[in-house]
Amino acid sequence: IDISLVANERVLTFIYKQLTQPLSPQENVRASSAAALHGIISKRMDAAAKINLLHGIQTADLLRNLAIDAMNKEKDIQLSLETELGLRSATGEVAKLINCISAAALDYLKVNPSDPISTELINLALPIAVSLLNCQEGNDDFVEEALTLVSSYVNICKKTKDDQSENVALQQILSVVYERLKFPEDYDPADDDDVSGFLQLRRSLIPIFKNITLAAPKLALTVLQRDILNSHTGDRMPADVERVFTVMETVYEIAPEEPVVVELVKSVLQTSPFRGSVLIRADSGHPPLAKHTGLLLTSAGADMALLSSTTPPAMKRAQSREDRQNHHLVSAALMYFELATRAHRVLTTNHSILAEVLSVFFGENGLRCTDTVVRSRCAHLLVKLVLPQRYVIASHYLDHLLNSLVPLLSIEESSYFSNDDECCLFEAAGLVLGVDGGNTNRLMYLSMLLNPLIENIRIPKDVSETMLIRAMRALKAAGALSKGFTPGSLGSYSSASSPRKGDSQLLQRDGSKMSA
């Protein structure tokens, strides 16, 4: 079909009028108009011909005059006819149109990077996409399209050799992306349904932030530094703290050896406003401790508790604003532990920070937290934290670790830790006790852990099912404890190596920008 049959002055004048004038909802056919123009522009042709088409039908003027504000006000209003045609809201169809125009311009820029027409279209389209992305009440209609355009542009910037920190468009994008990464006040991390769509949005935003950091490292680090410094001006909300931990983990993954990044990680892990947010705002209830050191399995408890699932129960859905804030706090604590575990290289050379991190792990928002999700994740991460630091801990912090860990294995509530969580704690203890750091209390701690296990393994003639279960769990715990004493079980592992394969080769090509 000859495109001139529809791409003519009469048709385009009507379409442009619908997209640029603040029409009343009764006259609104914006979605249909945007979809029609999208169909025209989507016609297959080579990149140069597509740019000539966009220039010929004056799409630059259209982008300058789009009535986006009016469309956002009307986004919940849609004619029944447009619905029957399978169209989305006007804003959604316009976002799709803008994405189509931008895709054509970006494709041609790959061939002719200095083309003025394509550059102008991108410069006009990006602010619209950023404004749509910044719309707090945005829905899947247009946010997904805006994300596609923003992501494509950032990827192109990432492939350039020079630091793009002075790029105004990237600055605008980063500002919006960083703000949208924060938990909304009404968002509940415990809501598995993700009704708000925030979790899906964040999964798209984090890679964009990562690529901005690679394209404009100075810009990204400046934003992060400013946020960390602002923490000293007053109490931070858990959502603010969680965002810092999440973003810091992403930045550290990109450039773990970059001095500026290392200093930021050190600041985040030890600065009192952040640690205070994790500790001070946590529930203050300590778990009950047994009067004498003994194994969790020796405590009285229902037989069914011993057979409970190793998967910790999820947080209950929030019923109030306070509940949501507490769930934000739980997420912040979890991200603190994730960051501390990943930043093991920083801890290896900064022993004082390691001591502080260990205190947080065994604190009221770590292994003593009232939330089972946090306790379970913290127990598993403790093994990853201890493994690369086992020589340092055995030499300097053995008493600190074991005096905190042994009471946790004496808790009277048989459901406080799952079987797997309990084994993680025994494995962490074995990793440091299996190293001779010169501490004379080493054998004492080992006896305190082993004696209750041996008692549970000894099965009398009149054995009950409960005793067999306890014996099996004790054997499993003993096996976890023994990992630190098994020759060759750790291979050639040293205190400076990484618990994750390939860490030393993380994004070497892209990470080189951080040092440039």
Side-chain angles (χ1 to χ4, degrees):
I1 300 175
D2 189 348
I3 196 171
S4 63
L5 294 176
V6 287
N8 55 57
E9 184 177 357
R10 181 179 180 183
V11 173
L12 292 176
T13 299
F14 175 81
I15 290 176
Y16 285 17
K17 179 180 178 181
Q18 305 308 315
L19 298 178
T20 57
Q21 299 298 317
L23 303 175
S24 65
Q26 289 74 21
E27 300 170 338
N28 185 4
V29 289
R30 300 188 198 274
S32 301
S33 300
L37 185 56
H38 178 272
I40 294 172
I41 296 174
S42 297
K43 184 175 176 62
R44 291 185 180 181
M45 59 185 74
D46 62 52
K50 182 67 68 71
I51 292 300
N52 289 333
L53 171 65
L54 295 176
H55 182 63
I57 62 176
Q58 301 178 346
T59 50
D61 290 339
L62 172 65
L63 294 176
R64 290 190 189 94
N65 299 296
L66 274 175
I68 290 294
D69 293 338
M71 294 182 201
N72 282 332
K73 295 177 182 179
E74 302 165 358
K75 63 180 179 293
D76 296 327
I77 303 174
Q78 189 173 1
L79 297 180
S80 58
L81 177 59
E82 293 188 313
T83 304
E84 292 173 2
L85 292 173
L87 300 177
R88 299 179 288 183
S89 66
T91 312
E93 293 299 333
V94 168
K96 184 179 178 181
L97 170 63
I98 294 172
N99 202 13
C100 181
I101 295 172
S102 302
L106 290 173
D107 283 343
Y108 192 61
L109 284 175
K110 296 176 183 177
V111 180
N112 186 359
S114 59
D115 178 60
I117 298 175
S118 301
T119 301
E120 182 185 28
L121 291 174
I122 293 299
N123 290 337
L124 291 170
L126 269 176
I128 300 174
V130 172
S131 68
L132 292 176
L133 186 59
N134 195 35
C135 183
Q136 297 296 324
E137 298 179 358
N139 52 47
D140 292 340
D141 268 346
F142 54 84
V143 170
E144 184 178 351
E145 298 291 344
L147 282 171
T148 301
L149 170 54
V150 167
S151 180
S152 298
Y153 179 76
V154 171
N155 282 335
I156 289 178
C157 293
K158 184 185 72 170
K159 294 177 181 178
T160 61
K161 296 181 179 180
D162 300 327
D163 190 325
Q164 297 288 305
S165 295
E166 300 301 321
N167 186 319
V168 176
L170 272 184
Q171 294 173 4
Q172 295 172 344
I173 292 171
L174 177 59
S175 176
V176 172
V177 167
Y178 196 78
E179 179 61 30
R180 294 305 305 271
L181 280 170
K182 179 181 173 180
F183 285 167
E185 186 175 334
D186 60 350
Y187 172 70
D188 182 11
D191 188 353
D192 294 334
D193 297 333
D194 190 28
V195 176
S196 66
F198 171 76
L199 188 58
Q200 182 178 355
L201 173 64
R202 182 183 250 207
R203 287 180 183 140
S204 300
L205 290 176
I206 288 179
I208 293 176
F209 177 86
K210 186 174 183 178
N211 287 333
I212 292 175
T213 305
L214 292 169
K218 294 179 182 178
L219 174 63
L221 292 177
T222 298
V223 170
L224 189 53
Q225 285 174 318
R226 187 185 303 122
D227 196 17
I228 294 174
L229 289 174
N230 287 340
S231 68
H232 298 282
T233 61
D235 187 31
R236 301 301 301 273
M237 297 299 291
D240 295 306
V241 179
E242 191 277 341
R243 177 179 59 184
V244 169
F245 293 153
T246 298
V247 171
M248 194 68 254
E249 183 183 27
T250 300
V251 172
Y252 183 76
E253 180 183 4
I254 294 172
E257 305 295 341
E258 175 65 26
V260 176
V261 175
V262 171
E263 289 303 314
L264 284 176
V265 171
K266 289 163 60 177
S267 176
V268 166
L269 291 179
Q270 69 179 349
T271 302
S272 57
F274 288 94
R275 292 183 63 251
S277 295
V278 172
L279 293 171
I280 296 173
R281 298 173 65 94
D283 294 324
S284 59
H286 286 272
L289 301 181
K291 293 182 179 180
H292 303 286
T293 301
L295 183 65
L296 165 70
L297 304 179
T298 64
S299 306
D303 292 348
M304 288 306 296
L306 298 174
L307 296 168
S308 62
S309 170
T310 58
T311 302
M315 293 182 287
K316 295 181 180 179
R317 183 171 297 180
Q319 301 297 322
S320 64
R321 180 180 181 275
E322 184 179 0
D323 288 343
R324 287 193 294 272
Q325 291 294 308
N326 287 334
H327 289 173
H328 290 180
L329 175 63
V330 168
S331 296
L334 289 173
M335 288 311 304
Y336 176 92
F337 299 130
E338 295 281 355
L339 174 61
T341 303
R342 176 160 292 190
H344 60 90
R345 297 174 182 173
V346 176
L347 303 181
T348 300
T349 55
N350 295 273
H351 297 174
S352 61
I353 301 179
L354 173 60
E356 293 187 43
V357 169
L358 287 173
S359 297
V360 180
F361 261 83
F362 288 99
E364 294 176 353
N365 221 25
L367 291 168
R368 293 179 182 273
C369 182
T370 56
D371 191 281
T372 55
V373 175
V374 174
R375 292 201 305 266
S376 178
R377 186 60 184 158
C378 194
H380 286 254
L381 288 176
L382 181 64
V383 177
K384 293 183 178 181
L385 177 74
V386 169
L387 186 56
Q389 319 294 337
R390 61 195 304 250
Y391 301 101
V392 175
I393 295 174
S395 301
H396 302 283
Y397 305 113
L398 184 67
D399 292 322
H400 180 122
L401 181 72
L402 270 299
N403 284 332
S404 300
L405 192 149
V406 171
L408 288 171
L409 296 173
S410 310
I411 295 173
E412 295 176 345
E413 293 183 15
S414 59
S415 60
Y416 192 78
F417 285 113
S418 71
N419 193 0
D420 284 351
D421 299 341
E422 189 179 88
C423 286
C424 286
L425 299 183
F426 275 102
E427 184 176 349
L431 287 172
V432 293
L433 290 174
V435 176
D436 187 0
N439 191 308
T440 56
N441 294 327
R442 182 180 172 217
L443 293 179
M444 178 194 71
Y445 290 126
L446 186 59
S447 298
M448 292 170 68
L449 292 170
L450 279 177
N451 288 339
L453 294 176
I454 294 172
E455 289 298 322
N456 279 276
I457 293 173
R458 290 174 177 168
I459 301 176
K461 292 182 180 180
D462 299 330
V463 62
S464 66
E465 182 179 358
T466 300
M467 291 179 179
L468 284 174
I469 294 172
R470 288 177 176 172
M472 292 171 62
R473 289 187 65 171
L475 284 170
K476 187 175 180 180
L481 180 66
S482 69
K483 290 182 179 180
F485 298 86
T486 305
S489 63
L490 298 176
S492 58
Y493 204 94
S494 68
S495 60
S497 61
S498 168
R500 297 183 299 129
K501 293 182 179 179
D503 242 8
S504 61
Q505 300 176 353
L506 266 177
L507 300 171
Q508 286 184 348
R509 177 180 62 81
D510 292 328
S512 61
K513 268 191 183 181
M514 301 290 292
S515 303

